[in-house]
Amino acid sequence: QVQLVESGGGLVQAGGSLRLSCVASGHTFSSYSMGWFRQAPGKEREFVASITWNGGSRSYADSVKGRFTISRDNAKNTVYLQMNSLKSEDTAVYYCKAGLRGLDYWGQGTQVTVSS
């Protein structure tokens, strides 16, 4: 089992940047694909970005392409989401997800609020 703890959220002005971190417990972090999702008030949770176990492949939602970058450091059991050029519509709770062989684990989320 994997436990995930996100951090790095906060309040930022439009056009600003934030870097989210997600630290995973356990010894098999490097085996998991990792992803970031977000959920805005009154909306369903949506995919933001994902990265394969070795960082060899990354995917992004169209809405964040060119602005967000996902990366991971397997030595630190950590996945990051660098968010630049933030917009008010990026306001949401951001969740980290770990996936392996059909099992998914979620963090508790971190709030990102972008003021216009």
Side-chain angles (χ1 to χ4, degrees), residues 23-97:
V23 179
S25 64
H27 301 291
T28 59
F29 173 78
S30 60
S31 300
Y32 287 81
S33 63
M34 300 297 297
W36 286 96
F37 290 71
R38 66 187 182 187
Q39 187 166 18
K43 296 187 178 181
E44 293 187 352
R45 192 172 298 188
E46 65 176 5
F47 168 78
V48 175
S50 65
I51 187 167
T52 51
W53 67 276
N54 62 350
S57 180
R58 310 177 194 196
S59 297
Y60 298 94
D62 287 343
S63 59
V64 307
K65 279 181 182 176
R67 300 188 298 122
F68 291 10
T69 302
I70 188 171
S71 62
R72 67 189 296 162
D73 185 339
N74 286 344
K76 296 182 178 180
N77 281 12
T78 303
V79 63
Y80 304 97
L81 185 68
Q82 178 66 44
M83 306 187 295
N84 298 329
S85 302
L86 283 162
K87 304 175 182 180
S88 57
E89 51 262 45
D90 295 319
T91 295
V93 177
Y94 283 71
Y95 297 90
C96 174
K97 189 188 87 168

